[in-house]
DNA sequence: CAGGAATAATACGCATCCGAAACGAGTATT
DNA sequence: AATACTCGTTTCGGATGCGTATTATTCCTG
C-alpha cells in the first residue's frame, strides 16, 4: 500500500514524532546517529565500520565516534570479526531493540492521528 | 485518512529519509534542532525562546544555542519584539523554507515507495 | 617471509553542546 | 523612583563531534 502523504502531513508527522522524542528526554541523537542505528537494526548483517561509512557516505571516524556514543548508551555493541580480525562487527542490543520499539510505537501513533 | 503504518514500515521510512539526508550532505541536525525548526515553520507565530523551551521541555540556553547554529545556517532568524523588547521573535527564512521543502519532498517520496 | 594493502582506532586542533548559574536589559509593581 | 520580576544571553567547566592525518593490527600477495 502506497502512503500518499501531503507536504503538510509529512512535516507534521516529523514534528510530532520529534516533539515526542525531545519531550520524553530520550538522548538527543543526530540524523547520522539515528540512521546508523536504524541501518544496523533493519539491514541484513554483518555491519562493519567501513560498510556503514560507505553506505552513509561519511568518513570512518564518524562511524567510530557514533558507535562510541551509542555504545555507551547501550544501543549497539561491537565485536571483532573472528574470520577477519581487522573487521569490527556492529551488533544489536536488547536496549537498542527496546529503543526502536518505543520509536516505532511513537511514529505509528502520530501517523494514525494525522489530520 | 488515517495512516496505518506497521512497525517495520515506520522504521523503514525513518531509515530511508535519514539516509537521504545524511548522504546528501545536508547539515547534521539533532532531534532537538529539527523539532525547533519544524515548530517555527508549522505552528502559529509568534515564537519566543521561552515559548519554545516550554513546548520542548528543555532549558532556554538549549533554544538559544540551537538558534545560533540554525541562524548561521540561515534556517531561521531572530528579531526583537518591539511591543516588549525583552522578547525575541524567531522568524522563518527563505533558506529554511527551501530546506523544509526538500525535506518533505524526500519524506513523501520515501513514503510512496514503502513496501 | 617481506612488503604492501586494508581495517578500525586514535591524535590533533577546533567547534559545538550540555546544565547550572550569573548577568544585563526591559517591564511591572508599589 | 525604587524594587521586583521577566526574558534572552552569556559564562563556566566538561563532554562530544568534526575532518584530516596518522597509527596499530591484520591480512594478502609475490
Amino acid at each position: 500500500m502506497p502512503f500518499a502523504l501531503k507536504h503538510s502531513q509529512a512535516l507534521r508527522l516529523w514534528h510530532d514524532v520529534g516533539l515526542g522524542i525531545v519531550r520524553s528526554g530520550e538522548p538527543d541523537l543526530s540524523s547520522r546517529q539515528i540512521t546508523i542505528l536504524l541501518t544496523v537494526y533493519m539491514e541484513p548483517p554483518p555491519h562493519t565500520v567501513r560498510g556503514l561509512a560507505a553506505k552513509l557516505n561519511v568518513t570512518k571516524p564518524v562511524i567510530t565516534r557514533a558507535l562510541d556514543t551509542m555504545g555507551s548508551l547501550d544501543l549497539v555493541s561491537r565485536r571483532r570479526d573472528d574470520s577477519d580480525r581487522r573487521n569490527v562487527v556492529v551488533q544489536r542490543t536488547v536496549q537498542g531493540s527496546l529503543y526502536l520499539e518505543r520509536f516505532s510505537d511513537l511514529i505509528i501513533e502520530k501517523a494514525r492521528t494525522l489530520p
Side-chain angles (χ1 to χ4, degrees), chain A:
Chain A
M1 166 177 26
F3 290 92
L5 284 170
K6 296 173 187 167
H7 283 76
S8 64
Q9 290 177 317
L11 297 180
R12 170 63 54 194
L13 178 59
W14 240 259
H15 170 270
D16 290 353
V17 171
L19 193 55
I21 293 173
V22 171
R23 288 191 61 88
S24 74
E26 300 262 18
D28 187 37
L29 302 179
S30 70
S31 297
R32 287 176 173 186
Q33 292 170 329
I34 292 174
T35 302
I36 292 170
L37 188 63
L38 284 167
T39 300
V40 169
Y41 279 80
M42 306 218 44
E43 300 285 310
H47 299 285
T48 65
V49 172
R50 173 169 180 72
L52 290 169
K55 171 150 194 171
L56 274 70
N57 195 31
V58 297
T59 61
K60 285 187 290 180
V62 165
I63 304 295
T64 296
R65 285 186 291 251
L67 295 180
D68 288 344
T69 303
M70 293 193 292
S72 77
L73 295 171
D74 244 322
L75 298 177
V76 295
S77 73
R78 277 185 271 207
R79 191 175 51 80
R80 278 282 163 193
D81 180 355
D82 284 328
S83 71
D84 183 343
R85 298 191 49 75
R86 291 173 301 182
N87 290 335
V88 160
V89 176
V90 184
Q91 295 182 298
R92 306 166 187 174
T93 64
V94 173
Q95 289 302 317
S97 296
L98 293 175
Y99 177 89
L100 289 185
E101 209 168 294
R102 290 195 299 276
F103 191 44
S104 59
D105 281 345
L106 183 61
I107 297 170
I108 290 167
E109 181 202 329
K110 297 306 182 186
R112 202 174 46 77
T113 60
L114 221 48

